[in-house]
Structures are given as C-alpha cells and as structure tokens.
Amino acid sequence: MNKNRWLIALSAIAIHLSIGGAYAYSVYKLPIVTEMGWSETNVTVAFTIMMGLAGFSAALFGNLVEKMGPRKSAMVAAVLFGAGQAGAGVAISMDSVTMYWLTYGLLSGLGMGIGYIAPVSTLVKWFPDRRGLATGMAVLGFGSGALITAPVAANLMEAVGISTTYFIFRASYFTLMILGASYIAPPEPGYMPVNMKAAANNGQEVVKKDLAVMSAREAVKTKHFWMLWSMHLVNVTAGIMMISVASPMAQEIVGLSVAGAAAMVGIMGLFNGGGRLIWAAVSDYIGRSNVFVIFFIAQLVTFIVLPHTTNVIVFQALIFLVVSCYGGGFSNLPAFASDLFGTKQLGVIHGYLLTTWSLGGIFGPLLVSAIKNAYGSYIPVFYVFAGLIAVSLIISLTLRADVRKQTALKEASQKVGDVSATQ
C-alpha cells in the first residue's frame, strides 16, 4: 500500500499534539488546589514526575520502539497516556493525591516519552530531502498542544468540572493518537520522493550523505554524541529556566504588570512552537551545526544584555528569542543526530539524547531558584547562564569544525575510490 508522506507527517503531528497537551497543566493547577484543597506542591509533583519520566522513558524504551515499529509503539503510547489522563479524573473524583501522581504523573509520563520518539525516526526516513522540516513539523505539534488544550480545558472545567474534563481529553487524545498510529509506517528501504528520483536519474547528488551509519551502542561511544548531548542540555536548561520564571522576572526587572506578564507568557508559547518549525526548516539550508552555533551566539548576547535592559519591548523580544532557540533545539536534535549517526537506530539515539530534556527540566528551575534565594535577585542568573552558554558555543564551534573535517575526508576518500574503480 502506497502512503502519502504528508499524511504520515499529519499522523505524527496528531500524536505529538495530543501528548503536548500535558504542557497545559498550569490551567488545572489552581482549580485543583481550590476545589480539592490539595497543596500546590502536591499538584506540581505530578507534573514533575511526568516531565522527568518523559525524557528518561524515551531513552529507556528506545530499543523497544525500534523493535515494535512506529505503529505499535504509538498505540502503546496512546493507551498509557490515555490511561494517565483518565486516571487523573478518577483520582480527582476519589480525592486521592497518590493516585494522581501514579496516573497523571507516572502513566502519562511513560506514554509521553514513548509517543514523542515513536514517529520521529519514521518521519525522517520519509523526508530524506527535508529532515529538518520533517522533525520540525512533528515537534511543532508537541509545542502547540498546550495552546489548544489550555483554553478548552479552562472552559470545560467551569462547565462540567475537573474530573469530566480529564475524561473528555482522555477520549480526545486517545482517538487522535490511535488515528495517527493507524496510518504511520516506515517507507520502503531506500525510499526517495519524486523530485529526488528525478535528480538522481540526472546524475545529481540528491541528498547529503550521513557522516556515519551507527547503532545506538556505537554512537554513545563517540565524542560527537556527547558534544551534541552537552549542547542540548544547556539549550534545554536555559530555555526551561526562562519559561519557568519569565513572568516574575519581567515584573521585577522591567516592571511589567501582572496582566502584561501573563500575555507575554502566552506569546512565548507561539515562539516555542514556531521556533520548532522555522529553525528546523532553516537548518535544511544552512546545516544543523550552523543553527546550533547561531543559537548559542544569540543566547550569549541575550543573557549578557538582559540584566541591563530597561525597555519592556526589547526585554520581551530577547526572551522570545531564547524561547525560540529552546523550541528549535528540540526539532533540530533528531535531524542533527541522523546527520551524524544515520537512521539505523535513530529512535534509540534520539531517546538517549532526550535525557537532557528531563535533566534540564529538573536543574533549570532548581538552579534559578537557588541563585534567586542566595542573592535576592534574578540578575546573577543571567551571568551564570551566560557562562554555561559560552562553553556550549565553544563546543558547537568545535563540533562544526570536526564535522566539516570528517566530511571533507570522507568525500576525498570516495573520490579516490571512484577513480580507482574507473581505472
């Protein structure tokens, strides 16, 4: 059966849009605290469990996802994530914080991690000509999930209550994920879209060759893997730090009003989602290594300038830039990994790299809180992160130079082989 690669992309978006709805947890927070009498800490713990598990389960189950294939893996993710959302509704109706942690936190987290990586490596194989665009489309859905879920959930909770809202979203997420899973499938080996076939028939080089073709076990033994891991860890930590304290930071430093800060947080969601698609699409033309260099140059300048910024518009624009780099890092990560290590076990390698997601989610807010408590101001936070970003910039420049060197050596070796074959 011939499949349309754009429908494959739509299927991946449907899966990511569903699990990305979990980012709207803040909409549930106040109603749960108010209605159930649970502490804010107890409600937040469930979200922390979910986000922590999401990254680590992506690494833990990466091999299983590769063996099962995208369809079965996405269906497993649908069952786990759906059960987590439905269980959250039951926990609310039973007034059980522990059950809320085990369902919304544990089950949703496992489903999110598996659902995140299941479609991505498949999508890369369907778009050998536009890897960045392919991964950008998928994770755009993830970044946009909360934009759709948040207003709908807020209205539903007022109309039908918290438990019923969870049940409605469980049915919606499960349906979308199953529909996406039922269509998604890998292409035939060696698949090329029509434009690439035509170019290949004319003797043109249709796609840049991967630097290597490695298993996950081989990839984690290379310096390239750990350089990319380190770069993404800092990018994620800086982004999550900014997202977690953007509102109070803007109020303290430039005197933004509460309403203005809330509006800024909403716009940040647009830059998070848009950055995932735009930066990924750009990387198809200028290269993934160049995009990461741009990320760290832009963020280094931003974190140095922000403490001295008094203009409200400029301050917000710089925050939006950091958030766009945060989103762009997620979309470029699997495409960059496929450039470096091939698509042989991309799902597993991507899962290992996503441990940075969990670590950044833990250390970003903790680090900014510790600095704020120690100095009574957010200003020192910028300088600490500027130092981390400066180190990442050096790593990104080193990785780019090394990739260029190895690519040149590989091309030279292939030319020698071609000449020998013709003699």
Side-chain angles (χ1 to χ4, degrees):
M1 176 182 173
N2 292 325
K3 290 184 179 285
N4 185 302
R5 67 175 183 161
W6 295 102
L7 290 179
I8 294 286
L10 188 61
S11 300
I13 291 171
I15 295 167
H16 272 225
L17 195 68
S18 299
I19 59 177
Y23 268 119
Y25 96 102
S26 60
V27 174
Y28 295 94
K29 188 174 181 179
L30 184 58
I32 292 174
V33 170
T34 303
E35 185 173 320
M36 306 303 299
W38 298 354
S39 70
E40 288 191 24
T41 300
N42 280 337
V43 179
T44 303
V45 163
F47 182 74
T48 304
I49 292 171
M50 178 175 62
M51 298 309 297
L53 274 175
F56 287 121
S57 65
L60 185 62
F61 297 110
N63 274 304
L64 184 63
V65 168
E66 287 287 343
K67 291 175 182 177
M68 292 175 61
R71 178 180 288 119
K72 290 181 179 179
S73 299
M75 287 183 175
V76 169
V79 171
L80 288 170
F81 192 74
Q85 299 299 302
V90 174
I92 294 294
S93 64
M94 294 179 62
D95 194 12
S96 173
V97 173
T98 303
M99 181 180 287
Y100 191 70
W101 291 347
L102 293 174
T103 54
Y104 189 83
L106 179 65
L107 292 179
S108 293
L110 292 173
M112 182 185 287
I114 294 171
Y116 190 93
I117 61 172
V120 173
S121 60
T122 299
L123 205 53
V124 167
K125 293 170 186 175
W126 277 102
F127 287 83
D129 52 334
R130 302 291 298 277
R131 284 179 175 177
L133 176 65
T135 56
M137 286 188 292
V139 298
L140 169 63
F142 186 81
S144 303
L147 293 176
I148 298 171
T149 297
V152 177
N155 290 325
L156 278 175
M157 280 188 285
E158 289 186 6
V160 299
I162 302 171
S163 292
T164 305
T165 298
Y166 272 121
F167 295 144
I168 291 171
F169 273 108
R170 181 269 175 191
S172 302
Y173 294 149
F174 183 77
T175 301
L176 270 177
M177 293 178 76
I178 290 296
L179 287 174
S182 65
Y183 190 80
I184 200 165
E188 295 293 326
Y191 164 81
M192 287 191 294
V194 175
N195 63 315
M196 289 182 66
K197 286 182 180 178
N201 291 335
N202 292 329
Q204 300 175 22
E205 184 179 359
V206 294
V207 67
K208 179 184 174 183
K209 296 289 190 301
D210 297 328
L211 193 63
V213 178
M214 296 184 180
S215 67
R217 183 173 295 183
E218 292 168 334
V220 296
K221 295 178 181 178
T222 67
K223 63 179 180 181
H224 288 168
F225 176 89
W226 291 107
M227 292 169 84
L228 183 55
W229 188 92
S230 301
M231 287 157 49
H232 196 250
L233 176 62
V234 172
N235 196 57
V236 168
T237 305
I240 290 179
M241 178 280 294
M242 191 66 79
I243 290 169
S244 68
V245 297
S247 177
M249 185 183 288
Q251 292 174 60
E252 177 187 305
I253 295 175
V254 293
L256 199 63
S257 67
V258 174
M264 180 191 73
V265 171
I267 297 172
M268 284 168 62
L270 295 176
F271 278 86
N272 183 1
R276 292 167 189 255
L277 182 62
I278 293 171
W279 283 116
V282 167
S283 75
D284 284 327
Y285 296 97
I286 68 172
R288 254 67 73 176
S289 59
N290 286 325
V291 167
F292 271 94
V293 169
I294 292 171
F295 284 168
F296 294 124
I297 291 175
Q299 290 182 90
L300 181 59
V301 172
T302 295
F303 278 89
I304 292 173
V305 170
L306 268 175
H308 309 288
T309 302
T310 55
N311 184 282
V312 174
I313 302 299
V314 173
F315 186 88
Q316 291 180 87
L318 291 172
I319 287 180
F320 296 151
L321 176 60
V322 172
V323 173
S324 79
C325 293
Y326 166 76
F330 277 103
S331 58
N332 274 279
L333 184 67
F336 202 172
S338 66
D339 292 344
L340 295 174
F341 312 116
T343 59
K344 180 181 178 181
Q345 282 195 310
L346 179 59
V348 187
I349 296 169
H350 186 205
Y352 290 161
L353 290 168
L354 283 176
T355 54
T356 55
W357 181 15
S358 294
L359 292 173
I362 294 168
F363 291 119
L366 284 178
L367 185 57
V368 69
S369 296
I371 296 171
K372 175 68 163 60
N373 291 335
Y375 295 94
S377 169
Y378 286 110
I379 299 300
V381 172
F382 295 112
Y383 299 123
V384 171
F385 275 89
L388 293 172
I389 291 165
V391 173
S392 295
L393 175 58
I394 294 170
I395 294 173
S396 68
L397 290 169
T398 304
L399 178 58
R400 183 178 68 173
D402 199 49
V403 168
R404 286 178 175 177
K405 179 182 177 181
Q406 291 196 25
T407 300
L409 290 172
K410 186 175 180 180
E411 289 175 352
S413 177
Q414 287 176 342
K415 287 179 181 179
V416 171
D418 292 341
V419 171
S420 299
T422 57
Q423 290 177 345

